[in-house]
Amino acid sequence: MALSEKKPVPQHIAIIMDGNGRWAKQRGLPRTAGHAAGGEAFRRIANYCRTLGVKYLTVYAFSTENWKRSEEEVSGIMKLLGKYLREALADMEKNKVCFRFFGDLSRLSPELQKLCEEAVKESKDYDVQVNFCLNYGGRDEIVKAAAAFARDVAEGIYKPEDLTEELLASYLYSADVPDPELIIRPSGEMRTSNFLLWQSAYSEYVFMNVLWPDFSPEDLDKAIEEYHRRNRRFGGT
């Protein structure tokens, strides 16, 4: 389906990759198998977004709350992440995708932190960008931005009254990245789960009753078609 030939696709799409655990449970598999299947779904959708001409894809990979899960599940997710990053580094020249990470990476293992740093460094000159929200929480991001601004005020760089929305946004993980026009949540859940709270102020949300490992290019087409049916007024009439 040549969706991009009909109407322009959103330049920034964000996805809450939800439903891996339920997908595995339905099949009598361990939750780690669901995360592995979810990783393949990400590859599939990331490649499709690139063919459509999407410039930015932001995905919720691991939240600040996900540490509450079992040690086995967290360990499995981190191993899958490391495997993906090593493969991505090996295929960097072929795929030509710019990597960014939104979140506090300091809690990750030194090996994973190094892989993230290498991915950012090696891909910085590519145009199509994938933003991985990793150990990320929307509230935590805003708190860290406010704290960074407060430190700059204490150092005399700014005055408190200098603060504007644009200035605060420059302290966010997503600085210099346009806000997402479309945010998709598969799995049938209808909540934002602390995802891009600042950036989503005027995003269009599409909730879909399909588990993330089963999410297909056709599902993405449906979400974009729904996006085009919306009347985006940005507070106007």
Side-chain angles (χ1 to χ4, degrees), residues 99-185:
F99 282 65
R100 282 273 297 272
F101 294 89
F102 296 174
D104 181 4
L105 302 187
S106 65
R107 193 169 176 182
L108 305 184
S109 69
E111 179 189 5
L112 272 181
Q113 291 182 51
K114 184 177 179 181
L115 286 171
C116 292
E117 291 170 5
E118 288 180 7
V120 171
K121 180 180 178 181
E122 295 297 323
S123 66
K124 61 183 176 61
D125 295 326
Y126 300 136
D127 293 331
V128 178
Q129 182 168 308
V130 177
N131 307 307
F132 296 89
C133 291
L134 187 57
N135 193 24
Y136 171 90
R139 289 182 174 180
D140 182 66
E141 177 182 29
I142 294 169
V143 167
K144 282 183 167 57
F149 174 73
R151 286 192 295 270
D152 283 348
V153 169
E155 293 176 10
I157 298 172
Y158 291 112
K159 298 177 182 178
E161 57 268 25
D162 292 334
L163 187 61
T164 63
E165 290 185 10
E166 292 74 19
L167 181 55
L168 186 60
S170 72
Y171 286 91
L172 299 174
Y173 296 122
S174 60
D176 303 322
V177 175
D179 292 341
E181 296 106 308
L182 170 63
I183 298 179
I184 303 167
R185 179 164 191 161

